[in-house]
Amino acid sequence: MANVITVTALNRYVKTLLDSDPVLTDVALRGEISNFTNHYKTGHFYFSLKDEQCAVKAVMFRREAQQLGFLPQNGMRVIVRCRISLFERDGAFQVYVEDMFPDGIGAMQMAFEQLKEKLDREGLFAAEHKKPLPAIPRCVGLVTSKTGAALQDILNVTRRRYPAAHFLLAPVTVQGNEAAPGIANAITRLDTSGRVDVIIVARGGGSREDLWVFNSEVIARAAFACKTPVVSAIGHEIDFSILDFVADLRAPTPSAAAELVMPDLAGHMQRNRNVYANIRAEIQNRLRLCYNKIEAAGTSRQLTAVRALPGQKQAALWAQQEALRRQMQKNLRDARQRLGHAAALCGSLNPYAVLARGYSVVQKEGRVLKNSADVQIGDRVEVRLSEGRLGCTVESVMNEETV
């Protein structure tokens, strides 16, 4: 008889078998959602996955559920990454979902619209958040595959439009949902590096499934948080992604992104030449107008009067000059006459002239004597003549009354 075991032991044993099987630890499972419940308290998703014949219970815990860009619904076909185990308490065999992707056009479109509506409500698409592109970027950051056609398209257009451009490439995988974190991280790294003026996120054309990674919420939020302008260049003109709505500018193709970001050097030079030609023509026109006005003014009565004015002023100036000359000559004659009179007066008062007439000057100790009382017999005096001097001794003093 077999050994008797408890239900707990059985469930634990089966759970151990399932958890230790490497095949069941990472499974990609396709199915249709049914009996979906979004538990309002815990945030966990409870549902079943079924196909045409069978069904299996599934749970997606809150941490993983919050990372989804859409809300699962009954009837939606999905592909889940999961592990297979047993809920030991109830003995329930079930799938523990770690990630979920829409499967099929209808489900993908529903997930796209749900995420678009969610981000739109949060304001990630608002026009006031759009940043302008630099007129002439010093360095352009590229988030794309280093082996893809998108990179070559951008480089080819740039060589033609603006050969002096510089690029900083952040190579990433651009296909598959597992590529989303890498793309978001590349956007963030380029933004925080401070080395780029604009970021282009590019991928060439492909199926909707190939481009689905750019509908990832993590990429959308990385682009929205970016302080550097972001240009989305995903697929072809008819392809739209969530990144297109969040980016500061959507380009229909990678080549168009290069056209929009890079200045057209040849076009700028031609515009400058046109502006120069227009300015030159305008200056010539203005000069012709000025010449015409000058010629017309040359025959006017006002200009004739103006031309005669210097001659009239010159004649008046000459008359004033002649009057000044005559006045100066008269003043000079008068001054000479006054000078002669003054010289004659000075000559009559000149003491040397008196000496020349036979008079003399007597000095005692350098002082001119005017009175005989100022000397005594025996004093030495000096007599100054017209020519020469005499040293004398007083022998007698005579006081005479002045008549």
Side-chain angles (χ1 to χ4, degrees):
M1 182 177 178
N3 293 332
V4 178
I5 60 174
T6 63
V7 174
T8 299
L10 173 63
N11 287 356
R12 185 167 300 166
Y13 178 72
V14 173
K15 175 176 172 57
T16 302
L17 290 177
L18 295 175
D19 291 344
S20 61
D21 189 338
V23 176
L24 300 180
T25 57
D26 188 9
V27 177
L29 188 63
R30 173 184 281 116
E32 181 182 311
I33 295 176
S34 64
N35 302 320
F36 178 78
T37 300
N38 181 1
H39 199 279
Y40 69 95
K41 288 185 177 180
T42 63
H44 304 330
F45 292 166
Y46 297 98
F47 55 95
S48 296
L49 284 175
K50 66 178 183 178
D51 56 19
E52 291 79 4
Q53 298 178 350
C54 299
V56 62
K57 291 185 178 298
V59 60
M60 190 174 194
F61 294 127
R62 180 177 62 184
R63 185 180 64 181
E64 288 77 16
Q66 288 177 338
Q67 303 301 318
L68 281 183
F70 63 97
L71 180 66
Q73 295 184 5
N74 289 325
M76 181 182 290
R77 294 182 58 81
V78 294
I79 297 175
V80 298
R81 290 186 59 186
C82 58
R83 61 183 177 86
I84 313 301
S85 188
L86 186 80
F87 184 42
E88 188 175 331
R89 190 195 67 185
D90 296 342
F93 170 77
Q94 62 184 11
V95 173
Y96 292 85
V97 178
E98 297 175 356
D99 206 351
M100 181 184 299
F101 314 104
D103 182 31
I105 299 300
M108 292 176 69
Q109 186 62 32
M110 183 181 296
F112 178 87
E113 295 297 337
Q114 288 180 356
L115 179 59
K116 181 182 175 184
E117 181 180 357
K118 172 186 175 182
L119 299 182
D120 191 17
R121 285 197 306 269
E122 294 182 23
L124 270 69
F125 304 160
E128 58 265 25
H129 297 310
K130 305 298 182 185
K131 298 176 284 295
L133 302 187
I136 302 179
R138 294 169 299 174
C139 184
V140 178
L142 290 179
V143 179
T144 189
S145 171
K146 63 181 178 181
T147 59
L151 176 60
Q152 296 306 316
D153 291 344
I154 292 173
L155 295 179
N156 290 336
V157 172
T158 301
R159 291 189 191 102
R160 172 173 53 84
R161 288 179 63 86
Y162 191 58
H166 294 278
F167 289 98
L168 184 59
L169 176 64
V172 293
T173 302
V174 292
Q175 185 170 331
N177 288 280
E178 64 278 1
I183 296 172
N185 183 51
I187 294 173
T188 303
R189 283 189 291 111
L190 286 176
D191 181 43
T192 56
S193 72
R195 299 172 58 187
V196 298
D197 299 320
V198 62
I199 298 172
I200 299 176
V201 183
R203 188 203 190 283
S207 66
R208 187 168 187 179
E209 290 78 6
D210 293 337
L211 305 178
W212 186 257
V213 63
F214 294 99
N215 293 320
S216 170
E217 184 174 355
V218 66
I219 295 177
R221 295 195 180 278
F224 181 75
C226 193
K227 295 181 175 59
T228 307
V230 176
V231 177
S232 174
I234 308 302
H236 298 301
E237 188 170 1
I238 60 173
D239 300 316
F240 280 89
S241 66
I242 294 296
L243 179 60
D244 292 334
F245 296 101
V246 179
D248 299 292
L249 180 67
R250 175 190 180 260
T253 63
S255 297
E259 296 273 356
L260 293 169
V261 169
M262 297 300 173
D264 184 4
L265 185 59
H268 278 296
M269 293 179 66
Q270 183 58 47
R271 283 192 289 273
N272 289 340
R273 286 192 290 267
N274 292 340
V275 170
Y276 173 77
N278 292 336
I279 293 174
R280 184 183 178 89
E282 182 64 21
I283 291 174
Q284 294 295 336
N285 290 335
R286 290 179 180 270
L287 286 175
R288 280 194 292 270
L289 290 174
C290 291
Y291 291 151
N292 294 337
K293 290 181 179 180
I294 291 173
E295 290 177 357
T299 59
S300 65
R301 288 181 298 176
Q302 292 85 351
L303 185 58
T304 302
V306 170
R307 286 173 176 171
L309 185 60
Q312 298 171 1
K313 295 295 183 182
Q314 187 175 22
L317 182 61
W318 286 342
Q320 292 180 1
Q321 181 180 353
E322 182 61 23
L324 286 174
R325 187 182 63 79
R326 289 194 298 268
Q327 184 64 41
M328 288 176 62
Q329 289 177 347
K330 180 180 181 301
N331 293 342
L332 183 59
R333 287 193 300 272
D334 293 345
R336 285 175 178 173
Q337 187 176 7
R338 288 194 300 271
L339 181 60
H341 293 163
L345 179 60
C346 289
S348 66
L349 298 176
N350 185 0
Y352 294 103
V354 175
L355 294 178
R357 293 198 300 271
Y359 292 94
S360 63
V361 177
V362 181
Q363 294 178 325
K364 177 185 177 181
E365 297 177 354
R367 182 169 56 85
V368 176
L369 296 177
K370 297 180 181 180
N371 194 327
S372 60
D374 294 333
V375 294
Q376 297 177 359
I377 296 173
D379 288 346
R380 292 287 298 175
V381 295
E382 182 182 86
V383 179
R384 185 166 187 171
L385 306 175
S386 175
E387 295 182 4
R389 300 180 184 183
L390 301 175
C392 302
T393 302
V394 177
E395 294 182 354
S396 62
V397 177
M398 293 172 286
N399 293 322
E400 298 180 357
E401 294 290 336
T402 302
V403 180

